[in-house]
Amino acid sequence: MSRATFPDKLRTQMRMALPMIDKNIRCKANTSRQSLMQASGLNDNQLQAALRMAYGEKGVPSPVYRSPTAGKMYDSESLLRVLTKWCGMWAYVIED
């Protein structure tokens, strides 16, 4: 993957995780880092890079808590809000 296409590839992969995050919101559940990697097909380093790009200056979100079985857990609503705008998937945008 070249440097020029890396952000586009990450966006494409993260789009695949958006339905899972949306489902977690409807179930009132947080989203685990492990499930993000599984749904997007990214490895841990690629997921970290995608989150860093999506959140920009705000920095990567802090986990809401750490589960012994699922690892880091993120707030689904804030995660979906940022990722949909970054990916350009406006159908998932949550308005305040």
Side-chain angles (χ1 to χ4, degrees):
M1 199 177 322
S2 72
R3 281 187 182 214
T5 61
F6 187 64
D8 295 330
K9 297 282 185 187
L10 290 179
R11 273 190 192 94
T12 302
Q13 292 298 111
M14 287 305 290
R15 283 183 183 131
M16 294 189 303
L18 296 179
M20 181 266 307
I21 299 169
D22 187 49
K23 180 182 165 197
N24 286 349
I25 290 173
R26 284 187 260 122
C27 295
K28 299 190 185 324
N30 290 315
T31 302
S32 72
R33 188 175 183 92
Q34 197 68 24
S35 64
L36 279 173
M37 287 189 295
Q38 187 176 16
S40 66
L42 298 173
N43 66 32
D44 193 47
N45 290 335
Q46 292 168 332
L47 178 64
Q48 185 72 13
L51 290 174
R52 195 174 301 125
M53 285 182 210
Y55 278 84
E57 294 175 6
K58 293 187 279 183
V60 178
S62 298
V64 177
Y65 66 94
R66 295 177 193 268
S67 166
T69 55
K72 295 178 182 177
M73 302 292 286
Y74 297 107
D75 176 53
S76 296
E77 242 179 82
S78 63
L79 191 64
L80 185 67
R81 183 178 293 120
V82 171
L83 290 177
T84 54
K85 290 179 183 178
W86 182 63
C87 293
M89 298 291 289
W90 305 113
Y92 289 106
V93 174
I94 301 168
E95 294 298 324
D96 290 329

